[in-house]
Amino acid sequence: MSDAVVVGAGHNGLISAIRLADAGWDVTVLEAAPEVGGAIKSAELTHGYVTDLFSAFYPLAVASPVFTDLALDEHGLKWSRAPLAFGHPAGPEDDDAPVIHPDAADTAAHLATFDRRDGQAWLDLVGQWETLRPAILNTLFGPFPPVRAVLSLLRSIGTAEALRLARFLVLPADQMVRELFRSEKAGLLILGNALHADIPLQAPGSGVMGYLLTMLGQDTGYPVPVGGASALSAALRRRAESAGAQIHCGSRVSWIDVRGGRAVGVVDRGGRRWKADRAVLADVSASALYTELLSPADVPARVLDDLQRFVWDTPVVKVNYAIDGKIPWRSSNLTGAGTVHLGADARNIAYSTADIETGNIPEHPFLLFGQMTTADAGRSPTGTESAWSYSHLPRGVTDDEAARLLAARMDEVLEEHAPGVSDMMVGRHVQTPHDLQTANANLVHGTVNGGTAQLFQQLVFRPTPNLGGATTPVDRLYLAGSAAHPGGGVHGACGSNAARAALASDGLRGLPRRTLSRTISRHLTKSRDKD
C-alpha cells in the first residue's frame, strides 16, 4: 500500500513523485521501460557519438518555475550551452544568417545590419520580456486556471495595457513578425521557433510559441545536460528517490483499479496489484488513460465521445548524424549555433507548412537541426559533430515509406546549406513515427506534443472540453502527462499540476498516512519526554 501510485516515469511522472514525496507521501512509480526518462534519453547510436533520442535542448526546463526548487545540480545535473542559442539562414545561399548572441545588445547590433530599425526593435522586445517574464511563465506553467499569475501580470503592466498584450500573444506568427520587424531576416527568428509547435503560421496562437522560445533563446540560451539527455532523467530519478519515492522499471501497468468511482490502485502486466490509498497519477497519453487503462464502465460516455474528436499533432521524422568534422555551413556564423532552423525564407516556410496541412510530404521541408557537440563538447570526438534533424509529416501520415522519403529530402536541405556535409557522415540513423512510438508509447503516431497545440485543444479544452487540467471523471485519478494543460515540452508543469491537484484534494480528506504517523510519533515522543 502506498499513498500514491504514479504510472510512468517520464519527466512529468518523476516530478509528480517528487512533489508528493516532498509533502510526506509514500509514492510508488511504475515504468514500463527498462529506464526512466520517457522522451528524455540518450544513447551511442554510432560509437563515440552521444545521440539524444528524443528531446535535446531544454530552455523550458531552465526557465520553468517547476524546476526552480528541485536543486537538480545537487543530484549530478550540469548544464552546457552553445556559443550561440540558434540561427536561421534565409535560404541555401545565405552567408550571413540571423543568430542569437548571448548579449541582447550584440544581437541587436547584428539585426541592425539587416535593417537599422530592427536593432532597437529587438531591444524593445527584450525589455518587454524582462518585465513580463515572471508573470508569463507562471501563467503558462503554473496551476490551472492561472488566476494568481494573471493578477500578477495585470499588476506588472496595468489593466490599460492588458488588452494590447492579449492581442499580441494571440497573433498569428506571420502577423507578429510583420508588426515587430522591418527585415525578413529578423522575422525568421520568431517564425522558426513558432514551427516547433504544429500551429500554422497564419493561425492565432502560433506567435506566442515563437515569441516565448525566441526570448528564452536570448534570456537563458538553449541549454543541454552535460553528457546527454539521459543525465537529466538520471538526476530527476535521484531527486525522487532522495525524497523517498520508490521507482520500479520494467513494470507495465495493464489497468487502473476503480471501485465505487474511485481509483484505488493499479494492476501490472504480471497481475500484481499495487494499492494507492490516496491517489493514482498517470503520466500517459489521453487515449491510453481513457481507452486502455480504464474500463469503459468507468469513463463517462461523453468523454469517450469527445475523445473521438481529439486531434494529435503532426508526426515527426528524426535523422541522427555522426559527422567526422565540423559542419561546413555556407553561413559561417552557424558554426557556433546549438540549434539551426533550416527552411529558406518566409515564403518557402509557408509552402512547407501548407503541404503538411493539405496532406502532402513537403518537397522542401522545414528542419529543426541540433549541433550537440557544439552545445556540449563531450558528445563526440574533438573536431567532430553529433547532430540530428527533425521535420514533420502531414497529420495521419505515419508509414515508413513516407518517413524515408521525408528523411531523404531532409538530407538534401542540409546539403544545400552545408555543401559537402553528406560526405562527412560516418553514421546516419532514421527514427520513423513507428520507431518513436515503439520506443515510447506516449509518442502516439510519432507525435511529440501529446496532442495538437492549436487553441481549440488548449486551456480548458485540453485534452477535451470540461477536462482542462489534471482532474479526471474518476475520483483520485489525475492526468499527469502532456495531454493535460499546458501540453508538450520539458517544463514539468503537467506533472507538477497533477501533484498539486492530488495534494489539494487530499487536504480536504485528511493527512496522508506517513504524515499522520509522524505526527502521532512526535506527540508520543513529547509525552515520554514530559514523563
Side-chain angles (χ1 to χ4, degrees):
M1 174 74 75
S2 300
D3 288 314
V5 171
V6 177
V7 181
H11 84 281
N12 278 309
L14 291 172
I15 286 174
S16 289
I18 290 168
R19 295 299 182 204
L20 295 176
D22 282 351
W25 287 36
D26 289 316
V27 182
T28 298
V29 182
L30 303 178
E31 168 57 45
E35 301 174 352
V36 304
I40 307 177
K41 289 179 182 175
S42 50
E44 279 196 22
L45 300 182
T46 298
H47 179 68
Y49 291 76
V50 176
T51 296
D52 290 337
L53 299 176
F54 311 105
S55 58
F57 291 92
Y58 300 98
L60 295 179
V62 171
S64 172
V66 174
F67 277 81
T68 301
D69 63 348
L70 294 182
L72 294 181
D73 58 320
E74 298 176 9
H75 298 273
L77 179 65
K78 296 180 180 179
W79 293 110
S80 180
R81 292 168 174 78
L84 306 173
F86 69 92
H88 189 151
E93 303 302 320
D94 187 2
D95 62 2
D96 187 20
V99 295
I100 298 294
H101 293 268
D103 191 297
D106 292 334
T107 304
H110 172 57
L111 297 183
T113 64
F114 308 133
D115 188 301
R116 60 180 179 79
R117 295 165 291 186
D118 286 343
Q120 187 58 51
W122 182 261
L123 293 176
D124 291 342
L125 192 64
V126 171
Q128 176 201 54
W129 166 254
E130 290 173 347
T131 299
L132 301 178
R133 184 186 194 275
I136 286 179
L137 293 177
N138 285 324
T139 298
L140 290 174
F141 303 131
F144 187 83
V147 177
R148 291 184 179 178
V150 170
L151 291 176
S152 174
L153 186 60
L154 290 174
R155 287 193 295 269
S156 297
I157 63 174
T159 305
E161 291 298 316
L163 287 178
R164 289 186 180 88
L165 177 62
R167 175 190 177 275
F168 175 74
L169 294 178
V170 300
L171 281 175
D174 59 353
Q175 178 63 25
M176 180 179 285
V177 300
R178 280 194 293 268
E179 295 185 10
L180 288 174
F181 303 115
R182 300 304 181 101
S183 70
E184 180 182 288
K185 282 193 172 184
L188 286 174
L189 296 175
I190 287 180
L191 291 179
N193 277 313
L195 289 173
H196 284 233
D198 71 321
I199 311 175
L201 296 179
Q202 301 77 27
S206 58
V208 69
M209 175 60 76
Y211 168 75
L212 174 65
L213 291 178
T214 301
M215 289 297 96
L216 287 178
Q218 182 64 88
D219 184 356
T220 67
Y222 283 3
V224 303
V226 172
S230 289
L232 173 54
S233 298
L236 283 168
R237 176 173 190 161
R238 287 191 289 268
R239 173 66 172 83
E241 290 177 333
S242 72
Q246 297 185 37
I247 299 172
H248 302 268
C249 292
S251 297
R252 182 179 298 277
V253 171
S254 295
W255 74 84
I256 295 171
D257 190 8
V258 178
R259 301 183 185 183
R262 170 189 166 186
V264 296
V266 305
V267 178
D268 67 20
R269 184 170 51 184
R272 180 177 177 180
R273 190 177 303 276
W274 302 77
K275 296 181 180 180
D277 192 34
R278 299 290 173 176
V280 174
L281 295 85
D283 179 11
V284 300
S285 68
S287 60
L289 177 61
Y290 290 112
T291 67
E292 298 174 24
L293 295 181
L294 288 171
S295 165
D298 296 320
V299 183
R302 185 61 180 269
V303 172
L304 295 175
D305 183 57
D306 285 341
L307 282 173
Q308 296 298 315
R309 290 179 285 277
F310 183 84
V311 177
W312 293 102
D313 39 308
T314 50
V316 162
V317 173
K318 186 167 179 283
V319 186
N320 305 297
Y321 303 104
I323 299 175
D324 188 16
K326 288 300 180 182
I327 298 173
W329 299 107
R330 289 187 190 273
S331 182
S332 60
N333 60 354
L334 294 177
T335 301
T339 298
V340 182
H341 298 143
L342 301 175
D345 58 21
R347 179 178 300 177
N348 285 340
I349 289 177
Y351 290 154
S352 176
T353 55
D355 281 340
I356 290 173
E357 291 302 316
T358 55
N360 297 309
I361 300 172
E363 290 282 345
H364 301 284
F366 171 79
L367 313 185
L368 278 73
F369 190 88
Q371 299 190 104
M372 303 314 300
T373 309
T374 297
D376 175 15
R379 299 293 183 97
S380 67
T382 302
T384 68
E385 192 71 58
S386 176
W388 54 261
S389 176
Y390 86 73
S391 191
H392 293 269
L393 287 166
R395 192 172 279 105
V397 177
T398 61
D399 61 280
D400 286 352
E401 182 179 355
R404 301 288 174 183
L405 175 59
L406 179 60
R409 291 176 178 175
M410 292 162 64
D411 288 348
E412 292 171 2
V413 171
L414 176 59
E415 179 68 23
E416 288 175 349
H417 287 83
V421 69
S422 299
D423 295 332
M424 301 168 63
M425 294 178 188
V426 295
R428 178 181 179 274
H429 299 83
V430 177
Q431 290 173 278
T432 68
H434 174 74
D435 294 331
L436 293 172
Q437 182 170 350
T438 299
N440 185 334
N442 282 349
L443 305 181
V444 180
H445 310 311
T447 62
V448 298
N449 194 62
T452 183
Q454 297 185 69
L455 285 178
F456 65 80
Q457 201 166 284
Q458 287 291 93
L459 304 170
V460 295
F461 310 118
R462 190 172 188 91
T464 67
N466 299 319
L467 285 182
T471 57
T472 74
V474 177
D475 186 28
R476 308 193 194 198
L477 173 63
Y478 302 90
L479 179 59
S482 60
H485 170 82
V490 182
H491 44 69
C494 305
S496 180
N497 290 342
R500 282 176 177 265
L503 289 167
S505 179
D506 187 79
L508 300 176
R509 301 186 180 103
L511 294 171
R513 289 182 299 106
R514 191 164 73 178
T515 302
L516 183 60
S517 175
R518 288 174 177 172
T519 300
I520 294 172
S521 177
R522 284 195 297 268
H523 177 73
L524 292 175
T525 299
K526 289 180 180 179
S527 297
R528 286 195 299 269
D529 290 343
K530 288 180 180 179
D531 294 340

